[in-house]
Amino acid sequence: MDGIPECSKLSWDAGPTSFASFGDIPGNLCSPTDDWPRPFRNLNHDAAWEHLAAASNPHSVKFDPTGRWRADALNFQPCAETSSQDRYAIQEIHIQGRVWTLSAVFDGHLGSHTVEHVAHHMPIIVREHLELITQKHGDRVVPPPLIADMFAMAIRAFDDAIANDVLELFPGGLSSLSRLSDSQIQEVLDDQLSGGQNYTKARLCLYGTTALVALVDPDHQNLWLANLGDCQGLMVSETGEKAWNVEVLTRFHNGENPLEVQRVMNEHPGEPECILDGRLGDTPFKQPPEFTRRILYNLYPGQHDTSPWEEFLMRNHTPPYISSTPEVTHYPLDPSPRAPRKYLILCSDGFTDICGTNQHEIVDQWARTSACSSSRELDEKSLALRLLWQALGNDPTSVSRVLTLNMDSPWLDDVSIVVQCL
């Protein structure tokens, strides 16, 4: 499942008109100087839940007949004028008669082409690498550290292939571009009348995505979590009657993380502008400037203002500036029937924006509510959708404000959530 939301304009006639102030919308992208207060439709509980579900397109997968091991996911963007650039993936991976599970969230930017490509192909690449390493070990169990290394290698190889597939279109790679005119490069790239394979490969380099990918072994004894970017992984563990522990499993790989800033500065000594305005750069920062100027500029010749790109490329001296090697961590699991319940939450930064400083309390209250629900209630209502409802305020009016705000541009970042029962 690739997590594409099926959002459409909905009818909001179910409730009276009310007004929202700037501070009423959690994590909103608006400016306090916009025209506030703004009208919204105040829906009743059932209507708010129904419309939230319609805007989130929740999806569930059961990994065993009892439903003990399952994953619920959603992709939410309340503005009907905007398509979400987040994606998620939930898949079973069959290796030598045994079943691994993969779940992931991806936060795309600048466009949806690359994130769509990654969400579809990432499970395939991980499966291929898993097959190779398990075949090498035969009947022996692959040690967890080797699985972690394999996981990181699979993701890095996949990312490297995006640029390498384009360079292979030009025999000799980057060094050959100086011998080609712009029109010759355009002729190679512009093959849309004959299928568009070259064009599609090059277009992937214009956009980007983060990735947070979880892998669980067939015996449910091990979890590996691979992180690239600013998505977040949380482990919610039952510690006693009505008591839960919320642990953050990942750290952000962006300019707001001092450790990440220091890593980039250490790798690029003498380049004080390798970090600017809290940003680490984008896809062109993984390749020398001529990759962007000779290939990407010629993908849409004369159609785009290249001055923002040039601002970055002027500082592009020793690429790459952003890493394609994920941070992989391993967590042991207890598969016994009497083991305390655990939930793995994977989410894009849109969810952390909504929660703000209240994330721990929001997740804790969600866990307590879910623990008190009957098995039938849990089957009928997605855990991911329950979590989003909790984060939006846990009442129909708060949810209605976010769902039905009268604006033409997005007031929230895209939100993807996967909740996996472990």
Side-chain angles (χ1 to χ4, degrees), residues 95-277:
I95 306 290
Q96 296 183 350
R98 311 193 71 206
V99 181
W100 300 67
T101 61
L102 180 146
S103 56
V105 293
F106 308 97
D107 185 350
H109 49 268
L110 301 180
S112 61
H113 301 292
T114 301
V115 70
E116 190 83 26
H117 174 82
V118 172
H120 176 76
H121 289 281
M122 181 70 75
I124 298 172
I125 298 298
V126 172
R127 185 193 68 221
E128 291 175 350
H129 280 73
L130 261 180
E131 287 175 340
L132 288 174
I133 198 169
T134 52
Q135 287 172 3
K136 289 180 180 178
H137 282 74
D139 295 331
R140 295 171 295 154
V141 175
V142 183
L146 293 186
I147 294 291
D149 291 344
M150 175 280 305
F151 206 5
M153 185 183 305
I155 293 174
R156 172 153 192 154
F158 176 58
D159 185 72
D160 289 345
I162 292 177
N164 290 338
D165 284 350
V166 177
L167 291 174
E168 288 176 357
L169 301 176
F170 304 94
L174 280 176
S175 61
S176 69
L177 297 179
S178 61
R179 301 189 296 270
L180 300 176
S181 66
D182 284 345
S183 60
Q184 288 175 312
I185 294 174
Q186 292 166 19
E187 186 177 350
V188 172
L189 298 176
D190 188 9
D191 66 340
Q192 295 182 69
L193 295 179
S194 57
Q197 292 185 350
N198 296 351
Y199 169 80
T200 299
K201 291 176 182 178
R203 187 176 60 177
L204 292 176
C205 298
L206 286 170
Y207 313 105
T209 182
T210 65
L212 179 60
V213 190
L215 186 67
V216 177
D217 70 336
D219 296 320
H220 290 263
Q221 294 181 343
N222 300 280
L223 163 69
W224 294 268
L225 196 60
N227 181 39
L228 265 178
D230 56 5
C231 291
Q232 188 179 64
L234 302 171
M235 184 69 77
V236 186
S237 307
E238 189 176 29
T239 58
E241 186 176 355
K242 297 183 180 180
W244 295 82
N245 180 61
V246 180
E247 179 186 3
V248 178
L249 304 181
T250 54
R251 61 189 182 98
F252 293 145
H253 299 157
N254 60 23
E256 297 178 2
N257 182 346
L259 293 176
E260 188 69 6
V261 171
Q262 191 61 52
R263 177 192 69 79
V264 176
M265 296 184 72
N266 289 343
E267 292 178 358
H268 304 278
E271 298 182 41
E273 289 192 330
C274 63
I275 302 280
L276 186 65
D277 298 329

